[in-house]
Amino acid sequence: MASLMAAYGRLPVSMLRGEGARLWDDKGREYLDALSGIAVCSLGHANPVIAEAIASQARELMHVSNVYNIPQQEELGEQLCRVSGMDKAFFCNSGAEANEAAIKIARLHGHAKGIATPTIIVMDTAFHGRTLATISATGNQKIKAGFGPMLEGFEIVPFNDVAAIEVVASKRDDVVAIMVEPIQGEGGVNIPDEGYLKALRALCDQHDWLLICDEIQSGMGRTGTWFAHQHEGIQPDIMSVAKALGNGMPIGACLARGAAAELIQPGTHGTTFGGNPLACRVGLTVIQEMERLDLINRADELGKRMLDGFHSALHNQPGVRAIRGQGLMLGVELDVPCPELVRNGLDAGILFNVTAGNVIRLLPPFIITNEEADEIVRRICDLIIDFLQHADLPASSSAGSNA
């Protein structure tokens, strides 16, 4: 890999083929995928319906400039607005680009109100992408290292802390929006208290701020509703989606409603590849397949089954701090850092990752069988128990702690 920049700490494996929830490497070894390419391949690998949509559209028309009407883009926009309750869509190629569009809309909102330094409230353990604007909006200091100066215009507060936002509101008159992941993925599968999103909605209404929900990881059915904020019955002003929208085809979208949906005008924002016929045809097929197979309810059922399995297997296990999840967005938090578990899993033929240093994150595809869900739980619990038996646990670790 001498010709590649060292952007990734890659595992020593080359995947050549996939089918459903399974992958095979260049040596023919099989792996059970509990990560879905980090919440991307919700319909499974090499899905034949998606593959046929790609092949069919590629034979017809792959790309045309956004200076022309694109029927597939218009239809996908209508379908996304239907399932989300939003008014309009802007299509791009990734989640980071969708968040860039959201940030730009928030700034347009501020400047329209005569605010010269529009500020967005963001969360300390958030992750919104890898572009310069989105790392500026991300609380994780590690991903900012070496890239300063950061973009101005972000006020960082603790996640799941309404009072901290109220303090900001009392001190600043240049806030224009709150940007939040309804459930944080990269931050450690952090689920806020019930009522948190409703409180943010009320604060935005009170102060004429926009509520931006980053649904890039938690959206498209992952948590058992189309979008995670729908669990609280609230509606954001702006929402970003990507990942599972394309099941592997790069696509992102920024959705907006009300006045926020009117702020992007010709010449204010754009993209060369975003919303091309191929990507939008795939996005449409993903939505159709999710509805045809009732996969949102299935994600909810599977998530509950797996949570029950983890609680049953790891109850009273010293070193397990917490087990949490919503739908098929699951995390097991340990008392000690555990990045080596990812390699242990690879050796054992099961794929997942560790985030926030000590949280085993699971994002399996929605098409797994009950037996595969049980197999994931069993194999990961075996890895966790074996790891903890050899770990140097803190004295505070004790049987029955939060698990």
Side-chain angles (χ1 to χ4, degrees):
M1 296 200 288
S3 60
L4 301 180
M5 291 189 186
Y8 309 99
R10 299 182 195 270
L11 293 165
V13 64
S14 300
M15 299 300 181
L16 294 189
R17 184 171 68 84
E19 183 178 339
R22 309 277 172 169
L23 287 167
W24 286 265
D25 68 15
D26 56 354
K27 298 178 177 58
R29 186 155 185 251
E30 179 182 307
Y31 302 83
L32 178 57
D33 187 1
L35 192 60
S36 307
I38 311 184
V40 170
C41 298
S42 295
L43 302 184
H45 297 287
N47 182 293
V49 179
I50 300 297
E52 176 54 32
I54 292 171
S56 171
Q57 188 62 49
R59 285 192 293 266
E60 206 166 272
L61 181 65
M62 288 179 61
H63 174 81
V64 66
S65 168
N66 275 300
V67 302
Y68 309 111
N69 294 326
I70 301 175
Q72 296 88 348
Q73 189 181 126
E74 293 177 15
E75 188 176 353
L76 181 56
E78 288 178 5
Q79 293 302 314
L80 280 175
C81 288
R82 174 178 64 81
V83 298
S84 67
M86 306 299 275
D87 291 336
K88 294 188 177 180
F90 172 84
F91 287 100
C92 48
N93 307 287
S94 69
E97 287 181 63
N99 279 335
E100 287 272 351
I103 292 166
K104 290 178 78 172
I105 291 172
R107 288 191 166 197
L108 286 171
H109 170 68
H111 284 292
K113 295 170 62 179
I115 297 173
T117 56
T119 297
I120 301 173
I121 295 174
V122 295
M123 310 307 154
D124 59 349
T125 46
F127 179 82
H128 296 297
R130 295 278 187 172
T131 65
L132 194 52
T134 54
I135 64 171
S136 299
T138 291
N140 186 340
Q141 296 300 315
K142 183 179 176 183
I143 69 166
K144 299 180 180 182
F147 295 114
M150 292 293 106
L151 203 65
E152 295 180 347
F154 298 99
E155 178 80 25
I156 299 174
V157 300
F159 181 62
N160 198 25
D161 188 341
V162 176
I165 298 176
E166 291 172 335
V167 169
V168 174
S170 69
K171 294 181 177 178
R172 303 190 63 145
D173 59 5
D174 59 355
V175 174
V176 298
I178 299 173
M179 186 172 190
V180 64
E181 297 158 278
I183 298 176
Q184 292 185 335
E186 195 73 16
V189 191
N190 299 319
I191 304 172
D193 295 338
E194 186 176 349
Y196 175 65
L197 295 177
K198 281 184 178 175
L200 299 192
R201 179 68 272 176
L203 279 169
C204 287
D205 292 340
Q206 179 184 348
H207 296 286
D208 191 26
W209 300 343
L210 299 177
L211 179 61
I212 304 170
C213 283
D214 177 341
E215 293 270 12
I216 290 163
Q217 189 165 140
S218 59
M220 295 306 297
R222 171 60 54 185
T223 69
T225 54
W226 271 109
F227 302 100
H229 67 265
Q230 293 170 335
H231 289 291
E232 286 228 358
I234 61 121
Q235 191 72 4
D237 301 292
I238 305 171
M239 179 175 71
S240 52
V241 296
K243 288 191 179 288
L245 177 58
N247 205 60
M249 175 65 66
I251 183 172
C254 177
L255 308 177
R257 71 181 180 97
E262 308 298 330
L263 290 168
I264 293 288
Q265 294 294 317
T268 56
H269 197 48
T271 167
T272 296
F273 296 109
N276 67 49
L278 181 63
C280 289
R281 171 76 177 275
V282 173
L284 277 168
T285 306
V286 166
I287 291 175
Q288 290 164 359
E289 283 297 282
M290 287 183 64
E291 293 187 323
R292 183 178 72 84
L293 300 172
D294 195 22
L295 289 180
I296 294 177
N297 286 327
R298 181 65 178 154
D300 184 54
E301 293 170 1
L302 285 165
K304 290 173 179 172
R305 183 186 185 96
M306 294 179 70
L307 268 183
D308 288 344
F310 280 119
H311 280 293
S312 177
L314 298 175
H315 181 64
N316 285 341
Q317 172 63 49
V320 176
R321 182 178 298 174
I323 299 167
R324 51 181 176 262
Q326 184 96 53
L328 286 175
M329 191 171 182
L330 304 162
V332 180
E333 182 176 354
L334 305 188
D335 282 335
V336 293
C338 55
E340 58 266 53
L341 266 175
V342 175
R343 177 59 189 267
N344 295 351
L346 184 73
D347 293 342
I350 184 162
L351 307 178
F352 57 90
N353 81 343
V354 169
T355 189
N358 64 334
V359 179
I360 299 145
R361 178 172 50 168
L362 304 173
L363 302 160
F366 305 166
I367 46 77
I368 55 174
T369 63
N370 288 346
E371 291 72 24
E372 286 174 324
D374 295 343
E375 183 182 354
I376 290 170
V377 172
R378 177 181 56 77
R379 294 172 71 174
I380 289 180
C381 286
D382 287 348
L383 287 166
I384 290 172
I385 292 169
D386 181 70
F387 171 79
L388 290 174
Q389 285 176 344
H390 301 90
D392 185 14
L393 296 178
S396 58
S397 290
S398 61
S401 62
N402 294 328

